[in-house]
Amino acid sequence: MQGFSQSDDRPLPPGFVWGVAGSAYQVEGAVTEDGRGESIWDRFAALPGAVANGDTGVVACDSYHRFGDDVRLMRDLGIGAYRFSISWPRVVPDGRGRVNPAGLDFYDRMVDELLASGIEPFVTLYHWDLPQALEDRGGWPSRDTVEAFSEYTEVVAARLGDRVRHWITQNEPWVISWLGYGLGVHAPGRASEVDALAAAHHVLLAHGRAAEVLRRETSGARVGVTIDLVPMYPLTYSDADVDAARRADGSRNRWFLEPVLGRGYPRDMLEEYASILPRIEDGDLQTIAAPLDFLGVNYYTRNVVRAGADAAAPATVETRGAEHTDMGWEVYPDGLTDLLARLHREYELPDLYITENGAAFIDDRRNGSVSDPQRISYLERHLAALGEAIAQGVPVRGYFLWSLLDNFEWALGFTKRFGIVYVDFDTLERVPKASYAWYRDFIAATRTVRV
Ligand code: IFM
């Protein structure tokens, strides 16, 4: 095994956890079973042209029925934690009101099975499958959705809070608000900047409220939120490009990070968004800045940006010649070290977890096995970059690889494979890839050697 970090011989921080991550709509399937309500992704995926090949999450990996198999794969991998999300419409089919006991039972069994296998559950409360009934009443741009989310959090905490210690309120607020409401490429498919910013504010507010609920309803909860961060590098050191990088960083990263870490919305971006800001009520920013036990960081890639023509929005530059994943994302491991070092330098941080990192590549199944050297190389280099950040003193407490299984990659359907386990979407057979064995050996080695 390569060292976790080439430049460091200190041990992993105490309690450091290796894990894998997934989310309900991407793996569960069983969308009409046992009383589950409709989600915005069910509705969106059914629209012609919305998702590649007309794929949907109706069956996905069928983890609703095959969860036992998945836990066995996790146990054999030797991970200490599994990050998964609860499907809101499985638990509260209409978004508010009536609770579906069968939905709660499913997650109850899942938590027990994980714990029995020595795997700590990290529960994400919202990973994009809003009940359609709430979208029909305005969705995230409506402030009422915040109340609905608090109620849903209360229901889940009451049932699982005796066994689940780690809670992630929201996953990737930028994606929820901008891809779903601003650019229309994700469910619910709206394309309005005003809606996107209102959604973003309410998603953050819902995070703060849920944090309060979790602390009230459970004892010893460790509460966090996951933000997808994309470090922005200026193409040149010209004032215009540097300023473009500042703006891109402001909208993609700081808009979400700063209020959650207690700094409020960044002043430069408040000016930029002045004409499209949502109503921010007294006390909202205090709620959003609820004390955090940890911050989840999802890192996949960086962006290189340059100034747009005539003060237009910053433009993302294609990094020709660089290595890219099947998503078209540049492979840039140094970005992870730079990002973590910057967070450590500029903010007062709680513990950090890398709640997602991984790569989609085209996988070829030959003679029953899948060799995926590019994914292994991606992981190797990103873990070395993570080790470097830890050596610099960044308080990272765990790493979750995205993803255990190939799964439903949102608008790209089943065309992109992120898993370390190959899923045959016709038979639902699971075939561990070479990267699965690599991660298993890596985890085992970090347990026994100084890294
Ligand atoms: O599959 C997604 C996941 O749901 C959220 N973060 C990024 C992953 C890869 O695109």
Side-chain angles (χ1 to χ4, degrees):
M1 186 202 77
Q2 294 291 309
F4 178 47
S5 156
Q6 284 93 358
S7 60
D8 179 33
D9 63 355
R10 286 184 298 179
L12 282 169
F16 191 93
V17 71
W18 296 111
V20 291
S23 88
Y25 191 75
Q26 291 179 275
V27 301
E28 283 178 5
V31 295
T32 53
E33 264 178 70
D34 296 337
R36 178 186 178 279
E38 189 190 13
S39 82
I40 55 174
W41 271 95
D42 299 304
R43 182 72 66 92
F44 185 73
L47 296 174
V51 175
N53 299 328
D55 290 340
T56 73
V58 168
V59 178
C61 306
D62 195 31
S63 291
Y64 188 73
H65 299 113
R66 293 165 198 252
F67 186 67
D69 296 346
D70 297 345
V71 176
R72 269 188 292 283
L73 283 165
M74 291 182 223
R75 206 188 44 211
D76 295 347
L77 193 55
I79 53 170
Y82 178 46
R83 173 178 176 232
F84 64 95
S85 77
I86 308 269
S87 160
W88 185 349
R90 209 179 274 296
V91 171
V92 188
D94 306 314
R96 287 190 104 151
R98 187 175 56 88
V99 173
N100 176 30
L104 279 174
D105 290 348
F106 170 64
Y107 295 109
D108 200 87
R109 287 195 301 274
M110 190 155 157
V111 165
D112 282 346
E113 203 156 333
L114 286 167
L115 290 171
S117 300
I119 300 169
E120 178 84 17
F122 274 56
V123 168
T124 306
L125 286 165
Y126 188 73
H127 198 127
W128 311 352
D129 45 357
L130 185 73
Q132 180 62 40
L134 292 180
E135 177 58 25
D136 294 342
R137 281 179 252 143
W140 282 113
S142 157
R143 202 175 164 99
D144 290 346
T145 302
V146 177
E147 217 49 65
F149 189 69
S150 300
E151 294 162 11
Y152 154 67
T153 302
E154 230 172 274
V155 169
V156 178
R159 183 65 179 269
L160 303 181
D162 57 336
R163 283 151 293 153
V164 171
R165 218 173 137 236
H166 292 88
W167 298 88
I168 295 169
T169 54
Q170 294 280 355
N171 181 67
E172 302 188 352
W174 181 87
V175 174
I176 300 167
S177 45
W178 282 98
L179 293 191
Y181 291 92
L183 299 165
V185 298
H186 273 193
R190 286 200 237 167
S192 145
E193 291 189 332
V194 169
D195 284 350
L197 281 183
H201 184 63
H202 297 140
V203 165
L204 292 176
L205 196 57
H207 149 70
R209 288 270 177 78
E212 287 166 9
V213 171
L214 289 165
R215 294 201 193 285
R216 194 177 65 228
E217 298 294 322
T218 70
S219 67
R222 292 190 37 86
V223 180
V225 60
T226 281
I227 305 189
D228 48 319
L229 296 171
V230 182
M232 302 290 171
Y233 294 76
L235 178 64
T236 71
Y237 288 108
S238 73
D239 289 351
D241 286 353
V242 169
D243 196 55
R246 173 195 59 78
R247 287 172 70 192
D249 179 55
S251 60
R252 190 68 171 75
N253 302 321
R254 287 182 290 118
W255 189 257
F256 300 93
L257 196 56
E258 303 218 334
V260 155
L261 293 177
R263 293 198 184 173
Y265 288 117
R267 202 176 288 264
D268 57 335
M269 298 312 296
L270 280 170
E271 274 169 30
E272 177 141 353
Y273 289 148
S275 62
I276 51 172
L277 282 175
R279 190 178 151 77
I280 300 170
E281 295 186 7
D282 286 350
D284 283 2
L285 288 167
Q286 282 97 305
T287 303
I288 293 172
L292 280 182
D293 296 300
F294 64 92
L295 176 69
V297 172
N298 291 356
Y299 176 81
Y300 289 92
T301 189
R302 69 159 175 180
N303 279 355
V304 175
V305 293
R306 63 169 170 71
D310 301 327
T316 302
V317 178
E318 221 184 285
T319 45
R320 284 212 201 94
E323 185 184 345
H324 292 86
T325 69
D326 193 32
M327 295 293 279
W329 297 344
E330 184 185 348
V331 177
Y332 195 69
D334 285 352
L336 179 58
T337 316
D338 291 353
L339 170 67
L340 294 173
R342 171 195 172 189
L343 292 176
H344 187 47
R345 196 172 55 240
E346 295 184 8
Y347 300 94
E348 252 183 61
L349 294 177
D351 285 350
L352 293 185
Y353 285 89
I354 304 303
T355 39
E356 288 181 28
N357 173 245
F361 287 107
I362 297 171
D363 292 319
D364 208 6
R365 185 178 174 193
R366 277 196 206 170
N367 305 323
S369 61
V370 181
S371 147
D372 55 345
Q374 288 174 295
R375 183 172 295 101
I376 292 174
S377 164
Y378 178 100
L379 294 171
E380 222 162 29
R381 286 178 283 160
H382 282 78
L383 288 168
L386 173 63
E388 179 57 37
I390 292 173
Q392 290 178 23
V394 185
V396 185
R397 304 291 174 227
Y399 172 92
F400 292 82
L401 191 159
W402 185 275
S403 179
L404 178 71
L405 303 176
D406 291 337
N407 58 51
F408 178 79
E409 179 53 26
W410 307 111
L412 298 170
F414 299 108
T415 63
K416 305 293 171 202
R417 293 181 177 272
F418 275 90
I420 53 172
V421 174
Y422 182 93
V423 176
D424 178 325
F425 289 106
D426 294 323
T427 63
L428 299 168
E429 187 192 353
R430 277 99 161 112
V431 182
K433 303 179 190 177
S435 55
Y436 172 94
W438 179 87
Y439 193 43
R440 181 196 58 208
D441 295 347
F442 177 89
I443 293 171
T446 59
R447 284 226 193 81
T448 50
V449 298
R450 283 165 68 81
V451 288

